Structure formats: C-alpha cells, structure tokens
Amino acid sequence: MKSFNELCKIAEALDPVEYAALVTEKSLKILPALGEVTGSVAETSGLFASFLMASIYADGKIDETEYALMLPMLKLLFGSEFDYDAAKALARTLRPEGKALKKAVEDIVKVIGEVDEELKNDIVLVSLLICAVDGKITLKEKNYIKQLII
C-alpha cells in the first residue's frame, strides 16, 4: 500500500477538475468490486456511503461543500429526497463515539481485508478525497481513515 501520508498529499493537492474526475473514476471501480466480495452491491454501497459520511463527520462537522460532493452517491443510495438536513442527521448518528459508526467501521474493514492492495489504495484515497474537499485533511479525519489500513 502507498504511504498514508503520500495519499494525503495527493488528495490535498488536486485541482477541482482532477479531483472530480478521480473521485468518479475510483468510485465507479470500488463499488462493483466491493459488491463482488460481499455478494451485494446495494449492501456494500450503503456501507461504504455510511463510512464516507462518517469520514466527513470525523472532524465534528459536515458542510455544504462536502455534502454537494457526495450528493449524487447519496441520492442514489438513500433516494432523491436525501437532502442536506438528512445528511447532517445521518452524520450525527455516525458520530465518532457511536455504536452505529463502530459497526460500520468493523464491517467495512472486514470487507476491505478481502480485497487486493490496489483496491485498498483506491478506497483509502476516495475517503481522503472526500475529506480533502476543502484542500485540507484534518488530524481527526486522518486518524479515522487510518482505521481502514490497520
């Protein structure tokens, strides 16, 4: 696996066009691959979306820019009525100390343990990209995402 710090630098340095292209490219690769591991693309997609929401909220806040970035995936997974208030409510249920978050982390780490190194890199990179929407990945966000590679 690439160095975690190297992945952080890549995520923070991308311009908006590269950023959007990379998130789309990697997400389109990740979701079907995870579905193959679990046997259910829908279940895995929901699990990955919950983990990404929790990644964003790891620093204790979710802003409209972060929400806008995830909007297409969130609407696909949670329905067209899923708005910013619903995203904030979901993020609160996945607060760092919550049981729902611990379960989501355990489940995604279990699934990630069954994939190859390239896909692990992609999953970590997308998680970092989501957090780096403002050009900076906070220490809390980094610590949260590191759970994927332990």
Side-chain angles (χ1 to χ4, degrees), residues 50-71:
S50 294
F51 184 83
L52 291 176
M53 285 293 297
S55 297
I56 291 170
Y57 197 65
D59 63 357
K61 60 185 187 264
I62 180 171
D63 66 33
E64 291 189 51
T65 304
E66 292 168 326
Y67 166 75
L69 175 66
M70 291 190 62
L71 185 59

Side-chain angles (χ1 to χ4, degrees), residues 68-95:
L69 175 66
M70 291 190 62
L71 185 59
M73 182 189 307
L74 295 172
K75 288 199 181 260
L76 176 67
L77 297 170
F78 299 114
S80 61
E81 299 81 35
F82 195 82
D83 60 9
Y84 181 56
D85 289 331
K88 289 190 299 187
L90 175 60
R92 281 191 299 273
T93 68
L94 296 170
R95 64 190 187 281

Side-chain angles (χ1 to χ4, degrees), residues 18 32 35-36 39 41 50 54 76 78-79 90 94 96 100 105 118 122 128 149:
E18 292 173 317
E36 286 180 24
V41 173
S50 294
L76 176 67
F78 299 114
L90 175 60
L94 296 170
V105 170
E118 181 181 349
D122 289 346
L128 291 170
I149 54 177

Side-chain angles (χ1 to χ4, degrees), residues 107-138:
D107 290 347
I108 197 75
V109 168
K110 181 179 175 184
V111 171
I112 290 172
E114 298 179 32
V115 301
D116 64 43
E117 288 300 309
E118 181 181 349
L119 191 60
K120 284 180 191 177
N121 280 336
D122 289 346
I123 292 167
V124 171
L125 182 58
V126 167
S127 299
L128 291 170
L129 287 168
I130 298 296
C131 293
V133 69
D134 59 0
K136 180 75 177 134
I137 303 168
T138 68

Side-chain angles (χ1 to χ4, degrees), residues 2 12 57 98 101 127 136 140 146-147:
K2 286 186 180 178
E12 292 174 331
Y57 197 65
L101 175 62
S127 299
K136 180 75 177 134
K140 286 182 181 180
K146 281 182 182 179
Q147 296 174 86

